[in-house]
């Protein structure tokens, strides 16, 4: 539970250039005033995040988003109208008021209105947009509880707000609207839903030629310390390990039965990976999720976690 005075204190910390861990519905965020370049630099230092990886800016109102965007295409209205507040990030051309450090020097900015009431109330009280990546050291598992964030960053942040476990559980879907709509990162809002709403095809980065338009797309990301392998019905490796399955159980030191719906699975994924990682086992094996559009965001995170 977050108290009223805590929110006021957190808002004051942010206005003074400090760092606050805030709950969102996707994962916990490490927030700073997005208009304060020095404060945002501290986010990169604390996370150990490379300066080439741009941050998502969180807003509490559409007008706040538009005040940061050089233009606001009609498709942004359509997508924001349907999914904000919620787990969708829109990339649009940026105004000069957004410091380069936020966008890793890009001429575009990623914007999202979070659904978690604590996050939105914090932005309102701070009266500024908040730049916030996940509240963990770079390449580690994202936090879905305040305790995860405390364990990863605890003494390096000014304040941690505990808003309970995250309801979505994986990072937002990221769509670029700087040209034809382009899915930069899959999430729980699926490609199929986006295409249905926009009434036209949405490309994905894997199909795009040339350099990545999204510098945050590091291959290894979201990874536990314990080696993670994705299995398609193969037997488990030798040694002691954890097995996360949604349809076919196998005997393992730690057997974790996962929900068979994408929503239920996403909500529990990082929590279970944190738990398995803390158990000091030889490996974490994961049964490959169903090959269906609504599972694509989940499979993306697992594939990156398994990457060497
Ligand atoms: P995270 O690392 O979870 O904070 O995710 C940030 C995501 O937003 C990454 O996939 C970034 O590449 C993407 N992103 C942020 N800003 C931009 C931008 N200006 N252009 C393209 N992608 C962006
Ligand atoms: Mg992250």
């Amino acid at each position: 539970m977050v108290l009223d005075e805590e929110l006021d204190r957190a808002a004051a910390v942010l206005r003074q250039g400090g760092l606050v861990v805030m709950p969102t519905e996707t994962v916990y965020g490490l927030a700073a005033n997005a208009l304060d370049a020095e404060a945002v630099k501290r986010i990169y230092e604390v996370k150990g995040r490379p300066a080439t990886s741009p941050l998502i800016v969180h807003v509490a109102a559409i007008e706040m988003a538009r005040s940061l965007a050089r233009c606001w295409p009609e498709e942004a209205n359509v997508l924001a109208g349907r999914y904000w507040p919620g787990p969708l990030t829109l990339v649009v051309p940026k105004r000069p008021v957004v410091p380069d450090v936020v966008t890793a020097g890009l001429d575009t900015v990623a914007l999202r209105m979070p659904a978690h009431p604590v996050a939105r109330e914090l932005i309102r009280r701070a009266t500024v947009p908040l730049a916030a990546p996940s509240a963990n050291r770079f390449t580690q598992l994202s936090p879905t509880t305040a305790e995860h964030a405390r364990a990863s960053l605890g003494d390096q942040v000014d304040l941690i707000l505990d808003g309970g476990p995250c309801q979505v559980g994986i990072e937002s879907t990221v769509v670029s609207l700087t040209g034809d709509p382009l899915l930069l990162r899959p999430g729980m809002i699926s490609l199929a839903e986006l295409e249905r709403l926009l009434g036209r095809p949405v490309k994905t980065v894997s199909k795009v030629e040339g350099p990545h338009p999204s510098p945050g797309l590091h291959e290894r990301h979201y990874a536990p310390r314990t080696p993670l392998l994705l299995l398609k019905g193969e037997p488990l490796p030798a040694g002691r390990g954890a097995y996360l399955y949604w349809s076919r159980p196998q005997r393992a030191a730690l057997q974790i039965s996962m929900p068979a719906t994408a929503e239920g699975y996403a909500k529990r994924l990082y929590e279970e990976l944190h738990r398995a990682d803390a158990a000091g086992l030889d490996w974490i094996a994961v049964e490959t999720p169903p090959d269906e559009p609504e599972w694509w965001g989940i499979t993306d995170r697992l594939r990156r976690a398994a990457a060497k």
Side-chain angles (χ1 to χ4, degrees), residues 26-27 47 49 52-58 89-92 94 102-111 132-136 138 142 171-176 178 184-185 212-218 221-222 301 304:
T26 57
V27 302
K47 276 191 64 106
R49 180 174 171 116
T52 51
S53 199
L55 305 179
I56 294 172
V57 177
H58 296 72
T89 297
L90 299 176
V91 174
V92 293
K94 85 171 185 78
V102 172
T103 64
L106 296 173
D107 192 30
T108 54
V109 61
L111 300 169
S134 53
N136 55 278
F138 184 64
S142 293
E171 298 80 359
S172 59
T173 301
V174 182
V175 177
S176 169
T178 57
L184 295 174
R185 177 172 72 186
H212 274 167
S214 179
L217 301 170
H218 298 270
H221 209 148
Y222 319 108
R301 302 308 185 279
R304 288 173 200 278

Side-chain angles (χ1 to χ4, degrees), residues 97-207:
V97 63
V98 182
D100 282 342
V101 60
V102 172
T103 64
L106 296 173
D107 192 30
T108 54
V109 61
L111 300 169
R112 181 169 101 80
M113 190 194 296
H116 199 297
V118 169
R120 278 217 312 292
E121 187 55 27
L122 180 62
I123 300 165
R124 269 190 225 110
R125 293 193 194 192
T127 68
V128 288
L130 300 181
S134 53
N136 55 278
R137 298 267 314 159
F138 184 64
T139 77
Q140 287 182 356
L141 278 178
S142 293
T144 54
T145 65
E147 202 37 59
H148 294 156
R150 193 170 292 121
S152 185
L153 303 177
D155 46 358
Q156 292 171 280
V157 301
D158 298 300
L159 200 70
I160 296 178
L161 296 176
D162 186 346
C166 299
Q167 293 301 301
V168 174
I170 67 168
E171 298 80 359
S172 59
T173 301
V174 182
V175 177
S176 169
L177 295 174
T178 57
D180 287 342
L182 177 66
L183 181 69
L184 295 174
R185 177 172 72 186
M188 293 310 289
I189 295 169
S190 74
L191 184 67
E193 278 180 72
L194 294 168
E195 290 186 327
R196 208 175 317 120
L197 194 66
L198 293 177
R200 61 166 170 156
V202 173
K203 291 203 184 105
T204 67
V205 275
S206 57
K207 294 177 197 151

